[in-house]
Amino acid sequence: MNNQNPQHSESSSAFINNMVESAIRIGLLFVLVVWTYDIIKPFLIPVLWGAIIAVALMPVTKKLANWLNGKESLAATLLALLGVLVLIVPLILVMGSIYDGIIRLTEVFQAGEIRIPGPTDRIAAIPVIGDKLYSIWSLFSTNLEQAITNYLPQIKTAVGAFAGILGSGVLTVVMSVISLLIAAAFMANAESMSKAVKTVSIRIAGPKGEQWASLIAATIRSVLLGVVGVAFIQAILIGAAFFVFGIPAAGGLTLLVFILAIAQLPALIIVLPVIIYVFSYMDTTPATIFTVWVLLAGLSDNILKPMLMGRGVEIPMPVILIGAIGGMLVSGIIGLFVGAVVLAIWYELFTHWVRTPVGQPEKVDETAQNTED
């Protein structure tokens, strides 16, 4: 005898149908999200950089717009053009210098006029690497053909690495130009973009969404000041030593120091070979002064970064610094900002959770709630 309730059976069947229908809808939505991500993926990094640049330069844009009778579009365009010039002009100069150097080196090599001066005894006196460096340098200065034959694999590797770095640098500049143009579009429509961001933030995070949007903007500016600002100061300090002591290609070396500092790589990568070069031809006293100068300047980021990174936000500096460095290790340069923002939001969530008494519901801001509705 079947005692099953017909009403219960119908509700179970309806429940299963609803589950299947919901699963199909969620699956289709997931597929749509994946396809959308694949479509916008090539543009994601430039748009993110454009948003970061726009947030960082927004105060400057507003000040410039005040001088231009409130023309924000013109101010954003001028800033973008200035940024493009700052990126393009040094690139053209460096590329032109590299091209001329390659042409000249090819002509000299074909004519058999290459003369490499031999190393001095000071090179051999350098601890640990002095003897090895002296022998390699001596071989290149006395028998260039034999030296090239002996070290051909290393030379090919070095040339390939240099070409890769050069190509990567050109691609980075192109992407930076695109990001600047996107940033100009964001800044030109700052008011509508700000309203849209606040609306979406409140929609996603509730009453605290607007507060978090302001926190994200302040964190981005703080990281930019702590990264680009420190890189600029460090490059100026080291570059001044290069120019004062008459180092060849001082301008190009200073630009490389600036790029490495932005990428959070130690400036000592450029500084140490220059120190070796300086000790090979300068007297001990000026060479020592140069060494102390550039070493202190190369290590200055350890002091400047904690001072500048974290200004303008209530988040503790170690949280911002850990987020920036960890984000960079995971996602590259863009991770500097993403990591700092993520940790800042988590810190705010944690402190809010700690301050909320157990069992007491959170008070909802009626103004924010009305805005959301």
Side-chain angles (χ1 to χ4, degrees):
M1 184 176 179
N2 189 1
N3 295 326
Q4 186 175 8
N5 188 346
Q7 186 176 359
H8 176 72
S9 176
E10 290 178 2
S11 70
S12 298
S13 177
F15 176 73
I16 294 173
N17 290 336
N18 289 336
M19 284 185 60
V20 172
E21 186 175 352
S22 299
I24 293 174
R25 290 179 178 178
I26 294 173
L28 290 175
L29 181 61
F30 176 77
V31 171
L32 181 62
V33 169
V34 171
W35 282 350
T36 303
Y37 175 75
D38 289 338
I39 292 171
I40 67 173
K41 185 178 179 180
F43 309 97
L44 193 59
I45 297 300
V47 170
L48 282 176
W49 271 118
I52 289 170
I53 295 171
V55 169
L57 294 181
M58 203 60 236
V60 181
T61 305
K62 289 183 177 179
K63 289 183 180 179
L64 184 59
N66 291 334
W67 296 343
L68 298 173
N69 298 323
K71 298 178 180 178
E72 290 189 355
S73 298
L74 179 59
T77 303
L78 290 177
L79 282 177
L81 291 176
L82 179 61
V84 170
L85 288 176
V86 170
L87 289 170
I88 294 297
V89 172
L91 177 65
I92 293 175
L93 294 176
V94 171
M95 294 292 290
S97 176
I98 292 174
Y99 177 78
D100 292 341
I102 292 174
I103 295 298
R104 175 59 182 163
L105 183 63
T106 303
E107 293 175 352
V108 171
F109 187 79
Q110 290 175 347
E113 299 175 355
I114 294 181
R115 296 291 184 271
I116 299 177
T120 63
D121 294 335
R122 293 179 182 176
I123 298 298
I126 297 175
V128 182
I129 63 171
D131 293 336
K132 183 67 174 177
L133 183 62
Y134 184 88
S135 62
I136 295 174
W137 194 336
S138 298
L139 179 60
F140 273 90
S141 63
T142 56
N143 192 341
L144 182 60
E145 293 183 3
Q146 182 65 34
I148 292 176
T149 302
N150 291 348
Y151 295 97
L152 186 60
Q154 291 85 346
I155 294 174
K156 287 183 177 179
T157 302
V159 171
F162 177 76
I165 293 173
L166 192 62
S168 177
V170 173
L171 179 61
T172 300
V173 171
V174 173
M175 294 296 288
S176 299
V177 171
I178 295 173
S179 299
L180 280 169
L181 297 177
I182 294 173
F186 285 155
M187 291 186 293
N189 301 278
E191 187 174 350
S192 58
M193 292 297 297
S194 178
K195 290 180 180 179
V197 168
K198 288 180 180 179
T199 302
V200 172
S201 300
I202 293 173
R203 186 71 177 176
I204 293 175
K208 287 188 172 294
E210 186 173 352
Q211 177 184 343
W212 285 1
S214 300
L215 173 66
I216 291 172
T219 303
I220 289 174
R221 293 192 185 106
S222 173
V223 174
L224 192 67
L225 180 63
V227 173
V228 180
V230 170
F232 180 76
I233 295 173
Q234 198 172 26
I236 290 296
L237 293 175
I238 296 175
F242 289 164
F243 281 101
V244 168
F245 286 86
I247 305 300
L253 291 174
T254 303
L255 180 62
L256 287 177
V257 169
F258 180 64
I259 294 172
L260 287 178
I262 290 178
Q264 300 299 288
L265 295 175
L268 297 179
I269 295 175
I270 302 296
V271 168
L272 289 180
V274 177
I275 290 175
I276 295 174
Y277 169 77
V278 167
F279 269 99
S280 70
Y281 80 95
M282 279 189 184
D283 293 334
T284 303
T285 300
T288 303
I289 294 173
F290 174 82
T291 301
V292 173
W293 184 342
V294 294
L295 285 179
L296 290 176
L299 298 173
S300 62
D301 61 326
N302 297 310
I303 299 173
L304 294 173
K305 201 169 291 180
M307 292 172 57
L308 296 178
M309 189 174 291
R311 293 186 61 182
V313 292
E314 297 180 358
I315 308 298
M317 186 277 299
V319 175
I320 301 294
L321 188 60
I322 291 172
I325 295 176
M328 184 202 67
L329 294 176
V330 173
S331 305
I333 302 298
I334 196 76
L336 282 168
F337 303 93
V338 176
V341 167
V342 169
L343 275 198
I345 292 176
W346 274 113
Y347 178 82
E348 281 291 308
L349 284 172
F350 177 75
T351 54
H352 176 73
W353 173 71
V354 169
R355 292 169 185 168
T356 302
V358 178
Q360 180 176 339
E362 181 183 354
K363 295 182 178 179
V364 179
D365 187 353
E366 294 181 358
T367 303
Q369 185 68 37
N370 292 334
T371 304
E372 182 181 357
D373 294 338

